[in-house]
Structures are given as structure tokens and as C-alpha cells.
DNA sequence: CGAGTGACCGCAA
DNA sequence: ATTGCGGCCACTC
């Protein structure tokens, strides 16, 4: 953990720490970063912050893909499939089982 | 520099 | 059961 790092640093770090073939929710990531109610910030950082981050591994509380922004919703589904994650109707299959958690390498 | 927006979540009425 | 509102931080214009 990096207590001195800003919220963005923690979010980026956690996002990068997400293993291959695994997904996480904005709320969970925000909570892990220290602000469970700052889920919006996670989305903002993921989009404007660092394009190199695996933002496609971020999903909403329902395990669904992004809310339909700059035409990335379909791209996200494609990226997820590349990681071995199957999506149906823009919803990650077995999302509950694929939900990544710190310590579950 | 100042103000507004954003890919969300949780609770209340 | 459904709908509406508030709230946090960072980034952009």
C-alpha cells in the first residue's frame, strides 16, 4: 500500500495489480483505495488518467461493462474475451467468481 | 485560475 | 417495488 500516494496512485496500482482473467468493480476498487463512496473517481481516473491501465477490467456493481461512453463498451467486451473472460449482453459471465480481491493472487 | 463533468454506489421516500 | 437524490476525487475545458 502507498498511504502517501494520492487516491489516483492507489487506484492505478490496484488496477495494475489485477491478475489476468480477473475483474473488479469500481466500488470495490474505490473501497480498497480508501474511499468506498468515490467509485466515480475510479471511473474518471480510468478514463482520463492512464490509458495504459487495464480499465477494461473495471465493471459496475452488476458485473456489467461500462455504461456506454466513447464507444468503448464493445471494445471492453472484446478485451475481456481476449483475457479469457466471456461476456453476454455486455455482462461478464461468472462475474462473482471472476471478481478479484486483494490477497487472491 | 475557476467551474463543471464523470465509465458509480448506497440510501431514502 | 420503483424512482430520485447526494456524495467523494480527479481530470478537462
Amino acid at each position: 500500500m502507498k498511504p502517501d500516494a494520492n487516491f489516483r496512485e492507489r487506484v492505478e496500482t490496484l488496477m495494475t495489480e489485477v491478475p489476468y482473467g480477473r475483474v473488479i468493480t469500481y466500488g470495490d476498487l474505490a473501497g480498497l483505495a480508501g474511499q468506498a463512496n468515490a467509485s466515480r473517481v475510479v471511473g474518471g481516473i480510468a478514463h482520463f488518467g492512464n490509458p495504459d491501465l487495464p480499465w477494461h477490467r473495471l465493471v459496475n456493481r452488476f458485473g456489467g461493462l461500462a455504461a456506454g461512453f466513447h464507444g468503448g463498451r464493445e471494445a471492453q467486451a472484446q478485451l475481456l474475451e481476449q483475457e479469457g473472460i466471456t461476456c453476454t449482453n455486455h455482462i461478464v459471465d461468472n462475474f462473482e467468481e471472476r471478481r478479484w480481491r486483494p490477497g487472491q493472487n
Side-chain angles (χ1 to χ4, degrees), chain A residues 7-76:
Chain A
F7 194 77
R8 182 174 73 87
E9 289 277 322
R10 298 184 243 195
V11 173
E12 289 186 3
T13 301
L14 288 165
M15 202 190 296
T16 304
E17 288 294 311
V18 177
Y20 175 91
R22 203 67 56 138
V23 294
I24 185 166
T25 66
Y26 296 96
D28 276 2
L29 191 58
L32 292 170
Q35 297 299 332
N37 52 332
S39 47
R40 314 174 37 146
V41 189
V42 179
I45 292 165
H47 180 46
F48 293 103
N50 225 338
D52 293 309
L53 293 170
W55 63 272
H56 53 267
R57 287 185 191 150
L58 293 174
V59 292
N60 56 20
R61 187 73 184 86
F62 299 93
L65 307 185
F69 54 104
H70 189 65
R73 188 171 40 161
E74 298 182 9
Q76 184 175 13

Side-chain angles (χ1 to χ4, degrees), chain A residues 62-65 77 80-81 85-94:
Chain A
F62 299 93
L65 307 185
L80 289 171
E81 286 194 45
I85 301 171
T86 53
C87 311
T88 301
N89 195 12
H90 297 134
I91 306 297
V92 178
D93 290 341
N94 304 323

